[in-house]
Amino acid sequence: MATIRDVSKLAGVSVATVSRVINKNGYVHQATLDKVEQAMTALQYTPNQIARSLAGKRTSTVALIVPDILNPFFPLLARAIEDTAQKKGFSVLLCNSDSKQQKELDYLSLLLTKQIDGILLASYTSKPEEIIQYEAKSAIPVVLVDTCFPDYPIASFLSNHKLGARMAVNHLIERGCGKIGHICGPTHIFAARERCLGYEESCRDQSWYTPSLIVSGDFQVDGGRRAIQELLSRHPDVHGVFVGNDLMAIGALKQLHAMDIRVPERLKLIGFDGIATDFLMPELSTIVQPFYDIGAHAMNHLLSRIDGESMHNTIFEFDSLVLHKGQTT
Amino acid sequence: MATIRDVSKLAGVSVATVSRVINKNGYVHQATLDKVEQAMTALQYTPNQIARSLAGKRTSTVALIVPDILNPFFPLLARAIEDTAQKKGFSVLLCNSDSKQQKELDYLSLLLTKQIDGILLASYTSKPEEIIQYEAKSAIPVVLVDTCFPDYPIASFLSNHKLGARMAVNHLIERGCGKIGHICGPTHIFAARERCLGYEESCRDQSWYTPSLIVSGDFQVDGGRRAIQELLSRHPDVHGVFVGNDLMAIGALKQLHAMDIRVPERLKLIGFDGIATDFLMPELSTIVQPFYDIGAHAMNHLLSRIDGESMHNTIFEFDSLVLHKGQTT
DNA sequence: TTGAAAGCGCTAACAA
DNA sequence: TTGTTAGCGCTTTCAA
């Protein structure tokens, strides 16, 4: 592969000049610019990114840390992030943390030695102090996606989950549901808590409301099966259920089917997320999160930080959730 | 961050010696080794990977190029690949090509300047000559996943699709199907062709067989809807359908549901891939591909090539497909 | 068994 | 407007 030196020789200029045309900075005469560009194309020259990185510039690479790309939730984010990165000349390193603290920390220090320019972190296990400390000592900007710590100055991009929850409950009410239950996700997940709060806010003034209408699940399919059983045993007369996410909603649906309880006639069900609305049958009613927007904005914010802009590290909540009316309500 | 020079000073040795202990090569006295290691831990030293890469070693990074990580097929592969890479100290760069030749080529040359160590390529658009030429002039090993070119020496890892197709058809026969149709995928996709061939081989000697039992689809949900309609209009009496992939099978299932044709009573349906076996209701019968094995083996093979082992570049077909008996057969 | 020194390819003062 | 040169942090001959 041709180097900058080869180009400089062929063009009859110094490497500094070539560097200037590569980086489009500093003054360079039009005539020399032409010569250099000719030499570059003649040699099919492309700058070695490793050398550029070592010489102090960036790696043009960011890392995306997710619990597990297999969770259908994350490819949606990953795609938006990669698209946005690619448009700006950045690449994305994919890291699965399995929600294990150690694996996450290992990645974090690996990324340091790789001189990654920034990190998009979707993690429900990391502590805010850790993140702040990491940013401080590594000077690598970190942006949170799908989670946040309200009391700390960390940039975060996520849906307005409380709003979404209200939309879900309202939809059930509009569809004529009387007593509405909720299957909530793990309480260590911010989004799960918010959705639960949204449910509570919408329901607590109803005559039928009682806290035992909230059953906890694990955001997985099987958890949904168990939770709906629990809910029905507590309240055989529930008429609608706002399930904390689509995965659990699928589980609930399967369980109801097995128990021969007709959906939506006897019981209406609405999920949250909007993963794979295409793939399901019957189609699940759900609140679709604006994944693409979240990912794209998070990435753009990160890129601005990388460019040295000092941003206001705050929480960006997206209100553009959409009700997807399926066949379960 | 501490550098190798800092360590060498603190340990009272030369940088060369420190380098030797980092890389565990060359002779180094036990006593000095201890000193160096103490210094390293004292300074919390970790070698800068960029500098190592520039000095001639590798980047310990591979790229995974997929058409679109949103296709539920690819996260399965990505996970296996990332797991395997991570165990061996490698990172994975994620690239979406959208099956566009230009985007793919752009990535390929970008990866060159990034001095990537190897590439895992899932592409149905690239030409074998291109790949061979790229490997030759870049010295970057490329391994194909989920596709192959039988007539060219390119390492490829994929399921034995023909075998899987036979399994699917046999299952339908066992379940009592008489006339069996097939919805095949795009013919430029190797796997789609193989599955179709498998179907043909299994069926051509049957009394009911006729080529018009094969309808073509596009491997997408909507394509499945259209294809099943087409098939039914050609052959109102089909009793079983082997659908070329799960996405189309979902579409077919939805269409049949809309048409009030009962599955599996009136018509039996089996898909291929094994994505989303959890998500569907009714659960789809399908042939599950050994994604994890494919990804892991492909990655291991790539790592061996990166380590300089000259491998026999051939096609690795995985026979370990599994019938998932759902509720549609 | 160890060290000195020459790069790897590029950037960025500093001079001219 | 251009060139010289000193690094960036590490690896790797080649000598000692």
Side-chain angles (χ1 to χ4, degrees), chain B residues 16-310:
Chain B
T17 302
V18 179
S19 177
R20 286 191 194 95
V21 349
I22 292 170
N23 298 293
K24 302 187 205 309
N25 60 10
Y27 296 92
V28 40
H29 199 86
Q30 181 64 44
T32 48
L33 192 150
D34 291 345
K35 275 194 301 183
V36 171
E37 286 189 332
Q38 275 172 33
M40 294 205 299
T41 51
L43 294 168
Q44 299 200 61
Y45 169 75
T46 30
N48 180 317
Q49 299 299 329
I50 300 289
R52 301 184 85 180
S53 304
L54 183 58
K57 299 270 282 206
R58 10 191 159 84
T59 50
S60 295
T61 305
V62 299
L64 169 62
I65 304 182
V66 296
D68 184 0
I69 193 72
L70 281 184
N71 183 328
F73 188 92
F74 295 110
L76 264 351
L77 276 177
R79 183 63 218 247
I81 286 165
E82 206 269 320
D83 273 10
T84 311
Q86 196 261 344
K87 275 179 203 146
K88 306 281 178 80
F90 275 70
S91 310
V92 177
L93 225 44
L94 179 65
C95 311
N96 294 104
S97 74
D98 283 321
S99 290
K100 296 206 184 105
Q101 201 136 27
Q102 192 52 54
K103 220 175 156 189
E104 206 173 289
L105 292 174
D106 288 349
Y107 266 122
L108 251 20
S109 60
L110 174 68
L111 297 174
L112 206 67
T113 73
K114 289 212 166 206
Q115 288 195 188
I116 286 302
D117 294 330
I119 296 174
L120 289 149
L121 180 59
S123 164
Y124 313 107
T125 46
S126 51
K127 302 247 175 302
E129 297 87 357
E130 265 171 31
I131 298 170
I132 287 172
Q133 197 189 330
Y134 183 84
E135 282 197 275
K137 67 183 287 195
S138 72
I140 297 178
V142 177
V143 168
L144 255 33
V145 283
D146 192 46
T147 186
C148 73
F149 299 101
D151 300 330
Y152 295 81
I154 307 176
S156 318
F157 290 76
L158 71 170
S159 296
N160 186 335
H161 294 283
K162 217 185 262 188
L163 170 65
R166 278 190 240 113
M167 290 169 65
V169 173
N170 285 342
H171 176 64
L172 288 176
I173 291 173
E174 276 169 18
R175 301 293 297 161
C177 290
K179 201 169 177 179
I180 298 172
H182 176 50
I183 299 176
C184 73
T187 49
H188 69 276
I189 297 182
F190 180 83
R193 292 200 302 274
E194 289 286 297
R195 292 174 198 169
C196 192
L197 285 174
Y199 162 81
E200 278 185 303
E201 281 177 18
S202 298
C203 299
R204 68 178 156 220
D205 294 333
Q206 304 284 335
S207 57
W208 46 259
Y209 181 72
T210 154
S212 66
L213 278 166
I214 300 176
V215 178
S216 57
D218 60 359
F219 268 180
Q220 302 302 315
V221 174
D222 275 345
R225 302 186 87 116
R226 287 192 297 270
I228 194 80
Q229 278 182 288
E230 171 72 21
L231 180 59
L232 281 171
S233 74
R234 288 189 201 166
H235 297 278
D237 58 334
V238 281
H239 193 209
V241 182
F242 163 39
V243 189
N245 75 348
D246 286 348
L247 251 32
M248 290 197 298
I250 291 167
L253 206 53
K254 287 189 177 184
Q255 185 59 35
L256 291 170
H257 187 74
M259 293 165 75
D260 236 350
I261 296 178
R262 308 212 24 112
V263 178
E265 295 80 1
R266 159 73 185 79
L267 196 70
K268 300 193 200 307
L269 221 54
I270 186 166
F272 202 107
D273 277 350
I275 58 169
T277 49
D278 281 358
F279 303 164
L280 268 188
M281 211 185 83
E283 259 184 45
L284 188 65
S285 290
T286 190
I287 303 296
V288 183
Q289 291 197 59
F291 292 109
Y292 202 93
D293 271 12
I294 293 176
H297 279 88
M299 187 69 212
N300 278 325
H301 179 97
L302 183 60
L303 291 175
S304 301
R305 296 258 321 265
I306 291 171
D307 273 342
E309 291 172 42
S310 76

Side-chain angles (χ1 to χ4, degrees), chain A residues 248-267:
Chain A
M248 292 198 298
I250 292 166
L253 205 53
K254 288 189 177 183
Q255 184 60 35
L256 291 171
H257 186 76
M259 293 165 74
D260 235 352
I261 297 178
R262 312 220 10 121
V263 178
E265 293 82 0
R266 158 75 184 80
L267 196 70

Side-chain angles (χ1 to χ4, degrees), chain A residues 46 136 164 278:
Chain A
T46 30
D278 280 0

Side-chain angles (χ1 to χ4, degrees), chain A residues 37-296:
Chain A
E37 286 188 333
Q38 275 172 35
M40 295 206 300
T41 51
L43 295 168
Q44 297 200 59
Y45 170 76
T46 30
N48 180 317
Q49 299 300 330
I50 300 290
R52 301 184 85 180
S53 305
L54 183 58
K57 299 269 282 202
R58 16 183 147 93
T59 50
S60 295
T61 306
V62 299
L64 169 63
I65 304 182
V66 296
D68 183 1
I69 193 71
L70 281 184
N71 183 328
F73 187 93
F74 295 110
L76 264 351
L77 277 177
R79 184 62 220 249
I81 286 166
E82 206 269 322
D83 273 10
T84 311
Q86 195 261 344
K87 276 179 203 147
K88 307 281 179 81
F90 275 69
S91 310
V92 177
L93 225 44
L94 179 65
C95 311
N96 294 104
S97 73
D98 283 320
S99 290
K100 295 205 183 109
Q101 200 136 29
Q102 192 54 52
K103 221 175 155 190
E104 205 172 290
L105 292 174
D106 288 348
Y107 266 122
L108 251 20
S109 60
L110 174 69
L111 297 174
L112 206 66
T113 74
K114 289 212 166 204
Q115 288 196 187
I116 286 301
D117 295 330
I119 296 175
L120 288 149
L121 179 60
S123 163
Y124 313 107
T125 47
S126 51
K127 303 248 176 299
E129 297 87 356
E130 266 172 31
I131 297 169
I132 288 172
Q133 198 189 329
Y134 182 85
E135 283 197 275
K137 66 184 288 195
S138 71
I140 297 178
V142 177
V143 168
L144 256 32
V145 282
D146 191 47
T147 186
C148 73
F149 299 100
D151 300 330
Y152 295 81
I154 307 176
S156 318
F157 290 76
L158 71 170
S159 296
N160 186 335
H161 295 283
K162 217 185 260 187
L163 171 64
R166 277 188 242 115
M167 290 168 65
V169 173
N170 285 343
H171 177 64
L172 288 176
I173 291 172
E174 276 169 18
R175 302 291 298 161
C177 290
K179 201 170 178 179
I180 297 172
H182 176 52
I183 299 176
C184 73
T187 50
H188 69 276
I189 297 182
F190 180 82
R193 291 199 303 274
E194 289 285 298
R195 293 174 198 170
C196 192
L197 284 175
Y199 162 82
E200 278 185 303
E201 281 178 17
S202 298
C203 299
R204 69 179 156 220
D205 293 332
Q206 304 284 335
S207 57
W208 44 258
Y209 180 72
T210 153
S212 65
L213 278 165
I214 301 175
V215 179
S216 57
D218 60 359
F219 269 180
Q220 303 301 317
V221 175
D222 275 345
R225 301 187 87 115
R226 287 191 297 272
I228 194 80
Q229 278 182 289
E230 172 70 21
L231 180 60
L232 282 171
S233 74
R234 288 189 200 166
H235 298 277
D237 58 335
V238 281
H239 194 207
V241 182
F242 164 39
V243 190
N245 75 348
D246 287 348
L247 252 32
M248 292 198 298
I250 292 166
L253 205 53
K254 288 189 177 183
Q255 184 60 35
L256 291 171
H257 186 76
M259 293 165 74
D260 235 352
I261 297 178
R262 312 220 10 121
V263 178
E265 293 82 0
R266 158 75 184 80
L267 196 70
K268 301 195 199 308
L269 222 54
I270 186 166
F272 202 107
D273 278 348
I275 56 170
T277 48
D278 280 0
F279 305 163
L280 288 181
M281 208 189 88
E283 260 185 43
L284 188 64
S285 289
T286 189
I287 303 296
V288 183
Q289 290 197 60
F291 291 110
Y292 202 93
D293 271 12
I294 294 177

